[in-house]
Amino acid sequence: MGYNGLKLPLVIAHRGASGERPEHTLAAYELAIEQGADVIEPDLVPTSDGVLVARHENAISETTDVAARAEFAGRRTTKTIDGRSVTDWFVEDFTLAELKTLRARERLPLLRPGNAAHDGRYEVPTLAEIVALAKRHGVAIYPETKHPTYFAQIGLGTDEPLVAELHAAGWTTADAPVFIQSFEVANLRRIAGMTKLRLIQLLAAGGAPADGAVDSYGAMTTPAGLADVAAYAFGIGPDKAMLGDGTLVRDAHAAGLHVHPWTFRAENAFLGPAFRRSEDAGGHGDLRGEIAAALRSGVDGFFTDFPQTGVETRDAVAGE
């Protein structure tokens, strides 16, 4: 189960170079590739006509200009998503053609005002467009299935369409440049029966999978829990806060699992306390130091919003 020529540890561009361009846009992915990322990461949600597109959530007011579009004012509604009531506009209520009329906005404009300068320039990309971009440049992709149980319940299941589209692209084997990730468990187990592509079980620092398949994410990090994960997954994607003293990495490796923590961001608001450099939430702290510490713990790859810094730090640590 090798990485088929990809440089290790992997630098995974989280939603593209999302520290420097609005997330989940072709511009963010293209910049990440220019900066040397090994992998680009799209979160996937379906349109009403079943097309998979890249948005972090199915609620889209924070990442598109939909709220300013009078023709869609009536689409604002309230839904229960994974047990939480959300009032917004939702991807699954738009056809692809309608969604393509919207333009992307920066999700964190107060922290990333430079990104907000790009508001209104970019479309919402489809999985097909991202696959084509990855193939042109020879990078891997790392799609995340968002809210798979919810979408299955409303008749827009995403597991089968995702696997079908990846297989149609010629990616069918365990060494294909693809990693499929999910915070849920049952859908990854289903996908494991549908494909040989590598699967990654995402882990949060608290709570439990929305599908109720496991009592808590914490239980999944014990040696027994990791052995269960290894029965269907290639690796785990833990919150970087879970790395701690390195026990999780060692135990995961002992279970035969690869470890790709998330998400390394430059802003003080997102850095661990030891790596913050001021009280300014949007100011940049010691991202290189935080990534280097994770690399020295033995991780096999990492998600970052700043892939150029990730690549430079990865290469520097490799040369130590």
Side-chain angles (χ1 to χ4, degrees), residues 13-35 40 122 133 307:
H14 183 245
R15 312 177 196 174
S18 54
E20 299 178 77
R21 295 291 185 275
E23 66 187 36
H24 291 316
T25 58
L26 290 181
Y29 298 128
E30 287 165 351
L31 180 58
I33 293 167
E34 290 172 14
Q35 293 179 344
I40 54 176
Y122 309 123
L133 178 68

Side-chain angles (χ1 to χ4, degrees), residues 2-24:
Y3 283 74
N4 198 26
L6 295 172
K7 191 169 184 179
L8 296 179
L10 294 175
V11 176
I12 305 158
H14 183 245
R15 312 177 196 174
S18 54
E20 299 178 77
R21 295 291 185 275
E23 66 187 36
H24 291 316

Side-chain angles (χ1 to χ4, degrees), residues 115-168:
N115 283 13
H118 295 269
D119 286 357
R121 297 183 182 180
Y122 309 123
E123 295 181 355
V124 174
T126 64
L127 173 60
E129 290 170 327
I130 297 164
V131 166
L133 178 68
K135 295 189 90 166
R136 280 200 304 275
H137 293 280
V139 299
I141 70 168
Y142 209 124
E144 180 183 345
T145 63
K146 302 294 293 190
H147 311 296
T149 296
Y150 164 78
F151 284 119
Q153 289 171 343
I154 64 170
L156 286 171
T158 54
D159 297 343
E160 291 81 359
L162 171 59
V163 171
E165 195 157 346
L166 295 172
H167 283 185

Side-chain angles (χ1 to χ4, degrees), residues 38-58:
D38 306 290
V39 190
I40 54 176
E41 186 234 10
D43 297 326
L44 299 176
V45 291
T47 64
S48 63
D49 43 352
V51 179
L52 294 174
V53 298
R55 290 291 89 185
H56 176 240
E57 289 292 337
N58 53 331

